[in-house]
Amino acid sequence: MRRLKEHPILSVSTDSLQLVFYFEGTQVCGTPNDTIASALIANGIDVFGFTEHNHPRGFFCAIGKCSACLVEVDGVPNVRACITPIREGMNVKMQSGRGKPKW
Amino acid sequence: MVRHIKALIVGSGPAGLTGAIAIAETLGGGKDVIIVDEGIEPGGQLPKQTHKFFGHEGFYASVRGFEIGNLLVKKVKSLGVEIIQQATVTGIYEDVITVYDRVNNIVNEYLADYLLIATGATEKFLAFKNNTLPGVYGAGAVQTLMNQYKVLPGQSFLIIGAGNIGLIVAYQLVQAGAVVKAIVEASSKVGGYAVHANKIKRLGVPILLKHTILEAIGSDKVRGAVVAEVDDAFRPIVGTEKEFVVDSICLAVGLQPNVELVAQTGAKLVYMPELGGHIPWRDENMRTTVQNVFVAGDLSGIEEATTAMIEGYIAGYNIAQEITGKSQEEKIQKMKDELSEFRRGPFSKKVRDGLKKLNIYFPAGGYREELQNNYGPKGKLRAVIECPQPIPCNPCETSCPTGAINVGGNINGIPHIDYEKCIGCGVCVTKCPGLAIFMVQENENYSIVGIPYELLPIPSKGDKVKLLDREGKYVADGEIDHVIPNNKGKTHIVYLKVPKGLEENVRSFSYFKKPEAFVCRCEELTREEIERTIDMGITDYEELRRVLRIGMGPCGGKTCRNLTLQILAEKTGSTISDIELGAYRPPTIPTPFEAVVKSVGERMERLEGKSDE
Amino acid sequence: MSEIKKYDVCIIGGGITGTALGYFLCKLGKTSVAIFEKSYLSSGSTGRCAGGIRQQWSTRPNVRLAMRSVKLFERFKDDVGMDIEYRQGGYLVLSYNEQEAEQFERNVKMQREEGLNVEILTPKQVSEKYPYINTEGIIMATFCQTDGHANPHKAVIGYAQAIRKMGGDIYTHTEVKNVDVKNGRVTGIETSAGYFACDVVINASGPWSREVSRLFGVDLPTESYRHQILVTEPLENFFPMMAISFSGNFYMRQTQHGQFILGQGDKDEKPGINHNVTYKFEKELASKMVRIFPFLRDIRIIRHWSGMYNMSPDAQPIIGQSEKVKGYYYAVGYSGHGFMVAPAVGEALAETIVFGKALHTDISYLDLTRFEKMQIEKEKNVV
């Protein structure tokens, strides 16, 4: 279980996991404070996509700078998962290599 | 539509926030100041910091990072300054300044009379085999997830880098419930403060000096790491490779200033490795080579949050001075003096050396360097300070109610205690940001050692524990004497009952690990529980079965019966053939009711009262 | 001459009855007590039973005995010091027979007079409250929330540990071979661990009650019959009560650990000690229960064993002191309901032995002499 239930210094809120979005078609639950990256990591999903040479990638810097965490959201490619808050019903997919624009 | 403001501050970290406070206070309000920050919440790195900051009271010493963030943001907002989050200043163009608002997906245009760029720094990357594997994270990233999103991205960590960030993140990981297998440092000494290193060492986390990481192991995720010793030229020594089983690797190998934006203003950059790499050239008033562009914080040189705050004030007052035309020299000088005092110590040598090259001079020394060589009268409950380095920090001095502690006039000085004045109250223990103060009292039959404690669970009086020394090594068995909880500050004091004579060694403790060698998988019963039950006098296999439910689960005893008989034989001193074997009953594998019903065929028993159909 | 060990009271049988008796005797100060168990504790009926605790009896004295027992079960953890997983999940008694239903109505009236809170349910109400029960054929049902169940093994161990702590002795794997009776008085017992002098011997030997009684020269009209029982794999808990039917001949409950324990009576069973099992039993019980509880279809049976009911002619226990042999007490013939009344019986009989009379519950009606006096009010609520 990756979500902290208690902490010696910080207060851990009992935010219920009320937001539901989809990653590769599977339901994932998150809180209103989650980004796509934090919700995926919390649910044990570490691989967000693959590089052009098929290396698995997740995230690295968590603040939107390194571009490791690119995912496709509702058809839009190259979205930085670590700085994008989740939304109810969002459809997130792994991005393999470069993204494809939708038309 | 172009928005014109007098002062645009880029970055809502400590430097940007104090800059805004300085300008807004001087201007009598915040309507001419805007802060733009690309994070989700204001404060920069502050919201992720759970440890208490150093420095002195005037700059929130002994206050936890995230609380400092809250205080500064509150102040800024109360002055009427607008803070725009989730927006990035993307460009200083010839004509306008652009700000990309991520929330509304729109680029807004600005013009500013003055810019205070406080864009901070980013983690350096490290090249080793498989370093892009998911599970290799920047230390800051782990801090972000753990402390802001309350998500732990792994269970067992390897930290690369023993600077302050590596040491602090290691400690925060332990606080969040993770295991830190080791901290690996390529150089021959710990780069961060000794007190930060001591905190993590006495929890049993080893710091491997002159080691580096060679490889991250795993195919889709980190499953381990290979580490090796290095020689003086930082080359790995063949044959010294060690494998660690970890699921996360945390890189804390240094920070580099984010110069992309300030460079676009035309400000001159200089290469200054002492300050983290390329930095914007600036004078002692934090002004760059561009007349209306100022910088502050880690962008101007990797240092600390406290110096970021002071530099923010210096830059801010300078900007305010120019906007209003009214001199703020007194305030600016006061801040420069603060900075001066702060930078006298050995840890600021790099910064002093770097700034010297910019013709900015900061004095060194002038503080007490000698360690106190007496630990007070035996038998008296008293504080013992283990702060061996001059660092700019003095909450111990300012928090002591009897004035027993002093750092010798300069906040970098080594603290000394006047044991005639020390009343053993323990306040200093709870205030010290380095968790470097302990309480000691030698009694008739045993001694007690009070240690600062910030982990969960909070121990209870009487708990039996293992006593550890400063390296986290086992010294003796002991127990918790009593606990002084500190629910406001969260640094509790745990008093350990220590065998006489060991009070100079014991500085930590750990609980005896619950052995989890399972015998019964269905009911998750451990060997220890079974042995304990046998010790209670339950020596028949069938009795054991009934009390513990061994063999009552779905496997019917197939997995556990033999092991249990073995344990019984060992404990009772008999042989397995002498022990009464429990009964064997059908069915040998679980059989669904439906299958049994089907074997009845058509004839089904009718319930009483119903006639046959 | 070697010292002959003496006890004030010797108890034959280390099941729930024997250990409850030992416990209450010690509590009343009579700590010179020894229990003799020929195998391991609870190896007899107690270790094989379903652990149900019911107060819905058809005769007033039985209801009172059961209610006192429940009071003692409620305090078990605090008094005895062991958590026996006691839960008041309730007993749902289902009736498939008009005559029985009428009797139930009378029973409920009497039970309510005794202070027991019992509900009467129509089949529709049963269906609403328990949607997983197929109510076909049910005439009516009664439900008492304070009925429940516990872990009989833990109860025996709990009593045993408390006895040892209070100074009593327990001899396991020790068989009582002979009883010394002189001048119509018990003077001692011969066991495989030696001879023990004593003034009082209690027969709490469950299925072996008749053979053991013969050692005293007293005949008890008890017969032991095999009853088979099944347990399933564990599931999430959703079935809180014991579902039981006398006319339907079944009982089933879900344990704290999620397993269903179920069984039925077999009218063709012959008397005698028999711990084997028959597949015939599984077929009959499975067919019946799958119809009433359709969710059982896909649930798996993991173990099938049997235990003995020590039956008396009227299906009620035989408790008292022998008139023929002074010092010989018996607490036997529980007819499948020993566990649920054991605390109250243990307390009452211990009080009788120590003070001359029971202080909390009347057990005089369970004396052996009732058979001679033909005072038989047969207990009807038995499976």
Side-chain angles (χ1 to χ4, degrees):
Chain A
M1 193 41 214
R2 288 180 169 181
R3 288 203 191 266
L4 296 179
K5 292 210 179 69
E6 54 175 14
H7 194 275
I9 313 289
L10 300 165
S11 56
V12 178
S13 76
T14 42
D15 252 351
S16 59
L17 302 169
Q18 73 243 82
L19 282 179
V20 172
F21 68 102
Y22 298 88
F23 181 70
E24 292 288 306
T26 323
Q27 250 189 25
V28 179
C29 294
T31 76
N33 284 327
D34 270 325
T35 55
I36 298 175
S38 65
L40 291 179
I41 298 289
N43 281 278
I45 300 168
D46 298 309
V47 179
F48 293 6
F50 293 86
T51 65
E52 262 185 87
H53 300 280
N54 254 320
H55 291 128
R57 45 175 191 71
F59 74 98
F60 178 73
C61 72
I63 52 174
K65 299 228 180 284
C66 69
S67 298
C69 65
L70 303 181
V71 289
E72 187 193 285
V73 177
D74 294 331
V76 177
N78 297 318
V79 174
R80 280 162 181 69
C82 67
I83 53 172
T84 309
I86 57 171
R87 245 185 16 250
E88 180 78 32
M90 200 183 228
N91 203 342
V92 180
K93 289 220 169 77
M94 282 199 202
Q95 181 167 310
S96 284
R98 302 181 227 158
K100 230 173 42 173
K102 59 172 180 182
W103 63 80
Chain B
M1 210 211 67
V2 182
R3 192 169 163 194
H4 189 148
I5 13 154
K6 295 214 173 110
L8 175 62
I9 301 179
V10 187
S12 67
L17 290 172
T18 53
I21 292 171
I23 301 174
E25 268 179 353
T26 314
L27 264 51
K31 67 173 174 54
D32 291 312
V33 191
I34 295 188
I35 304 179
V36 175
D37 185 280
E38 64 182 359
I40 299 201
E41 62 174 306
Q45 297 298 314
L46 290 175
K48 307 169 200 174
Q49 307 310 326
T50 54
H51 61 287
K52 295 179 286 201
F53 276 43
F54 294 72
H56 67 72
E57 271 184 330
F59 285 97
Y60 308 103
S62 193
V63 180
R64 297 188 190 276
F66 65 95
E67 287 163 343
I68 300 176
N70 289 341
L71 289 167
L72 288 175
V73 171
K74 205 163 148 203
K75 184 88 198 280
V76 166
K77 288 196 171 149
S78 75
L79 289 167
V81 176
E82 187 184 346
I83 307 181
I84 304 175
Q85 293 291 142
Q86 296 194 73
T88 310
V89 177
T90 46
I92 315 273
Y93 293 81
E94 186 184 88
D95 45 352
V96 289
I97 297 170
T98 50
V99 174
Y100 171 46
D101 167 357
R102 275 198 328 267
V103 176
N104 300 303
N105 199 22
I106 183 174
V107 176
N108 291 312
E109 299 172 76
Y110 287 78
L111 279 175
D113 295 341
Y114 290 89
L115 275 174
L116 170 49
I117 305 185
T119 47
T122 310
E123 314 248 35
K124 284 188 177 153
F125 196 37
L126 190 64
F128 54 90
K129 188 160 171 214
N130 270 335
N131 59 351
T132 55
L133 211 49
V136 178
Y137 303 128
V142 171
Q143 253 189 348
T144 304
L145 273 179
M146 188 171 51
N147 296 334
Q148 275 187 298
Y149 296 100
K150 318 283 166 59
V151 174
L152 206 50
Q155 300 274 48
S156 56
F157 289 74
L158 185 69
I159 316 279
I160 315 295
N164 275 329
I165 294 186
L167 298 171
I168 289 172
V169 171
Y171 182 71
Q172 290 175 351
L173 279 166
V174 175
Q175 284 183 303
V179 170
V180 177
K181 292 280 176 91
I183 301 174
V184 161
E185 166 59 53
S187 76
S188 55
K189 55 187 179 76
V190 166
Y193 293 164
V195 292
H196 281 316
N198 293 343
K199 246 168 44 181
I200 194 75
K201 278 198 321 209
R202 65 177 183 257
L203 289 179
V205 176
I207 300 180
L208 302 175
L209 296 172
K210 298 195 81 171
H211 277 73
T212 192
I213 179 170
L214 295 183
E215 183 181 341
I217 302 174
S219 54
D220 55 328
K221 217 248 163 197
V222 168
R223 308 240 175 264
V226 180
V227 158
E229 265 180 67
V230 294
D231 60 22
D232 291 330
F234 299 111
R235 283 185 307 240
I237 300 172
V238 172
T240 64
E241 295 87 358
K242 268 195 282 276
E243 251 186 51
F244 281 94
V245 175
V246 287
D247 62 10
S248 314
I249 300 171
C250 218
L251 302 187
V253 293
L255 296 169
Q256 57 203 358
N258 292 328
V259 297
E260 322 79 70
L261 190 65
V262 73
Q264 290 183 32
T265 63
K268 182 168 142 202
L269 297 181
V270 289
Y271 181 66
M272 202 72 76
E274 298 90 337
L275 294 172
H278 283 97
I279 54 154
W281 186 100
R282 69 350 182 265
D283 64 15
E284 60 180 26
N285 288 305
M286 308 308 298
R287 192 199 307 258
T288 66
T289 52
V290 178
Q291 181 266 339
N292 63 343
V293 177
F294 288 76
V295 290
D298 270 0
L299 168 66
S300 69
I302 307 300
E303 211 175 352
E304 296 238 356
T306 314
T307 50
M309 282 191 264
I310 303 173
E311 286 182 345
Y313 279 121
I314 295 176
Y317 285 127
N318 271 284
I319 292 176
Q321 185 168 258
E322 302 214 350
I323 293 177
T324 58
K326 282 202 260 190
S327 167
Q328 301 298 315
E329 263 322 305
E330 216 182 286
K331 293 205 176 121
I332 294 172
Q333 190 55 49
K334 184 159 171 284
M335 286 301 159
K336 285 182 179 171
D337 292 339
E338 291 275 2
L339 207 47
S340 197
E341 178 161 4
F342 197 92
R343 285 183 174 154
R344 283 175 176 275
F347 282 91
S348 301
K349 182 166 191 309
K350 265 210 217 153
V351 172
R352 289 195 308 264
D353 289 346
L355 292 176
K356 221 185 288 188
K357 297 190 187 158
L358 299 179
N359 292 322
I360 303 173
Y361 296 93
F362 282 92
Y367 47 81
R368 182 200 292 156
E369 293 184 67
E370 308 81 48
L371 300 173
Q372 183 167 15
N373 59 9
N374 92 81
Y375 295 109
K378 287 206 186 278
K380 176 178 172 167
L381 178 63
R382 64 206 189 278
V384 169
I385 304 183
E386 296 184 0
C387 179
Q389 298 167 326
I391 45 183
C393 178
N394 74 343
C396 53
E397 180 183 57
T398 51
S399 68
C400 177
T402 63
I405 305 178
N406 78 82
V407 295
N410 178 300
I411 61 169
N412 289 284
I414 305 282
H416 285 197
I417 300 183
D418 177 351
Y419 283 107
E420 311 238 320
K421 296 196 178 144
C422 175
I423 55 173
C425 66
V427 169
C428 53
V429 177
T430 65
K431 287 290 186 189
C432 172
L435 301 191
I437 306 183
F438 304 88
M439 302 300 289
V440 172
Q441 180 173 33
E442 301 85 349
N443 290 321
E444 180 91 27
N445 302 315
Y446 58 89
S447 296
I448 53 169
V449 173
I451 64 171
Y453 198 73
E454 291 181 337
L455 302 175
L456 288 176
I458 300 175
S460 306
K461 179 185 164 115
D463 282 352
K464 299 273 180 283
V465 293
K466 291 202 283 202
L467 301 172
L468 312 175
D469 64 12
R470 292 176 184 81
E471 307 292 314
K473 298 258 179 331
Y474 172 80
V475 175
D477 283 356
E479 71 179 66
I480 306 290
D481 191 85
H482 64 284
V483 176
I484 308 279
N486 178 358
N487 292 315
K488 191 157 174 282
K490 307 275 185 187
T491 306
H492 316 286
I493 307 182
V494 172
Y495 280 92
L496 303 166
K497 211 176 198 160
V498 168
K500 220 169 149 118
L502 293 178
E503 63 280 349
E504 298 192 10
N505 300 27
V506 172
R507 289 292 177 268
S508 181
F509 73 94
S510 69
Y511 279 98
F512 292 98
K513 288 233 167 31
K514 238 178 57 145
E516 293 210 317
F518 290 106
V519 171
C520 171
R521 302 178 65 113
C522 299
E523 300 293 321
E524 296 195 88
L525 293 168
T526 62
R527 190 194 173 94
E528 190 201 43
E529 283 171 273
I530 296 174
E531 289 183 345
R532 222 183 316 132
T533 310
I534 297 175
D535 284 338
M536 280 180 355
I538 315 284
T539 50
D540 267 281
Y541 175 75
E542 284 289 349
E543 278 181 326
L544 213 53
R545 219 189 107 224
R546 283 161 169 76
V547 170
L548 287 178
R549 296 181 48 80
I550 305 174
M552 283 197 180
C555 87
K558 293 184 193 64
T559 318
C560 57
R561 187 190 298 250
N562 277 328
L563 271 176
T564 310
L565 290 173
Q566 240 176 279
I567 297 171
L568 257 173
E570 276 168 32
K571 297 277 306 183
T572 57
S574 39
T575 61
I576 295 188
S577 53
D578 287 339
I579 300 180
E580 226 176 271
L581 199 51
Y584 287 88
R585 301 272 179 221
T588 54
I589 65 162
T591 312
F593 272 98
E594 170 145 33
V596 176
V597 169
K598 280 192 191 158
S599 70
V600 173
E602 290 320 332
R603 298 185 329 103
M604 292 252 279
E605 191 182 292
R606 297 290 172 202
L607 291 167
E608 236 219 28
K610 219 164 186 290
S611 57
D612 278 280
E613 292 190 36
Chain C
M1 171 175 115
S2 62
E3 281 278 343
I4 292 182
K5 185 129 190 180
K6 183 175 190 301
Y7 288 105
D8 287 351
V9 180
C10 287
I11 300 171
I12 306 176
I16 191 68
T17 300
T19 52
L21 278 163
Y23 171 78
F24 283 102
L25 283 165
C26 285
K27 279 228 86 164
L28 295 176
K30 216 170 226 344
T31 54
S32 168
V33 168
I35 297 180
F36 295 89
E37 164 53 57
K38 72 171 168 59
S39 176
Y40 54 86
L41 292 178
S42 84
S43 55
S45 300
T46 310
R48 295 154 193 280
C49 77
I53 299 168
R54 167 166 61 94
Q55 299 161 111
Q56 296 180 69
W57 292 88
S58 69
T59 70
R60 204 175 289 266
N62 282 344
V63 171
R64 287 187 183 159
L65 190 65
M67 286 178 75
R68 175 65 191 165
S69 228
V70 164
K71 283 262 167 325
L72 293 168
F73 271 119
E74 283 168 354
R75 294 163 26 187
F76 200 102
K77 187 155 172 216
D78 290 332
D79 288 350
V80 184
M82 168 143 322
D83 181 356
I84 58 170
E85 299 164 17
Y86 177 56
R87 296 282 179 283
Q88 289 181 343
Y91 258 59
L92 179 70
V93 185
L94 302 163
S95 179
Y96 292 87
N97 173 292
E98 290 286 359
Q99 239 183 320
E100 182 190 48
E102 281 163 34
Q103 178 63 47
F104 277 7
E105 307 256 352
R106 291 194 285 275
N107 290 349
V108 171
K109 184 164 174 297
M110 176 271 292
Q111 289 157 2
R112 283 176 180 160
E113 282 165 16
E114 287 301 313
L116 202 58
N117 207 337
V118 186
E119 287 172 58
I120 295 183
L121 301 164
T122 64
K124 184 158 174 285
Q125 286 170 319
V126 172
S127 207
E128 276 161 19
K129 200 167 173 192
Y130 311 101
Y132 39 78
I133 299 182
N134 173 5
T135 54
E136 184 194 330
I138 294 178
I139 309 285
M140 59 85 99
T142 64
F143 180 75
C144 176
Q145 185 67 69
T146 54
D147 287 342
H149 46 82
N151 185 324
H153 324 297
K154 288 197 169 166
V156 168
I157 305 281
Y159 276 141
Q161 285 183 347
I163 290 168
R164 288 192 181 106
K165 260 207 206 118
M166 291 192 271
D169 287 337
I170 300 182
Y171 296 80
T172 54
H173 298 281
T174 306
E175 195 174 338
V176 173
K177 303 215 182 109
N178 228 325
V179 177
D180 243 359
V181 177
K182 288 194 178 65
N183 301 325
R185 262 227 112 78
V186 167
T187 54
I189 53 173
E190 179 76 55
T191 76
S192 55
Y195 183 86
F196 298 90
C198 51
D199 303 320
V200 171
V201 182
I202 312 178
N203 180 353
S205 58
W208 297 271
S209 58
R210 197 164 203 179
E211 295 106 86
V212 167
S213 197
R214 286 201 194 107
L215 297 176
F216 295 82
V218 175
D219 189 42
L220 288 177
T222 53
E223 288 281 17
S224 293
Y225 288 85
R226 169 182 69 181
H227 277 249
Q228 300 187 54
I229 181 170
L230 297 181
V231 73
T232 69
E233 61 194 349
L235 295 149
E236 292 266 3
N237 282 76
F238 66 92
F239 196 100
M241 70 290 180
M242 170 79 88
I244 186 171
S245 177
F246 309 117
S247 48
N249 188 24
F250 64 82
Y251 62 84
M252 179 164 88
R253 75 169 178 100
Q254 188 177 22
T255 69
Q256 191 181 287
H257 304 275
Q259 294 166 296
F260 281 92
I261 297 188
L262 54 155
Q264 64 176 35
D266 187 348
K267 53 179 171 34
D268 294 330
E269 196 65 55
K270 302 270 176 298
I273 308 281
N274 182 356
H275 286 130
N276 291 320
V277 288
T278 66
Y279 184 56
K280 174 169 169 283
F281 171 85
E282 252 183 64
K283 283 194 290 191
E284 285 175 6
L285 185 61
S287 316
K288 177 196 301 179
M289 298 306 255
V290 163
R291 191 121 55 65
I292 305 172
F293 305 97
F295 66 83
L296 285 175
R297 269 218 123 75
D298 296 321
I299 292 175
R300 297 173 190 77
I301 303 165
I302 64 170
R303 197 170 166 95
H304 172 181
W305 70 98
S306 62
M308 309 306 297
Y309 278 28
N310 189 232
M311 301 296 296
S312 80
D314 61 0
Q316 290 176 109
I318 305 177
I319 307 175
Q321 181 175 191
S322 170
E323 287 182 335
K324 267 181 65 187
V325 180
K326 285 280 163 286
Y328 171 39
Y329 290 80
Y330 35 77
V332 299
Y334 288 95
S335 309
H337 312 94
F339 177 63
M340 59 183 81
V341 295
V345 168
E347 181 187 51
L349 191 54
E351 286 164 348
T352 307
I353 291 170
V354 174
F355 301 123
K357 61 183 170 87
L359 302 177
H360 292 88
T361 339
D362 173 38
I363 48 168
S364 59
Y365 68 103
L366 294 169
D367 195 82
L368 180 61
T369 51
R370 70 184 188 269
F371 297 114
E372 298 155 25
K373 297 173 190 158
M374 301 295 277
Q375 275 165 12
I376 304 175
E377 194 192 347
K378 191 168 165 124
E379 169 58 60
K380 300 185 183 61
N381 289 10
V382 289
V383 171

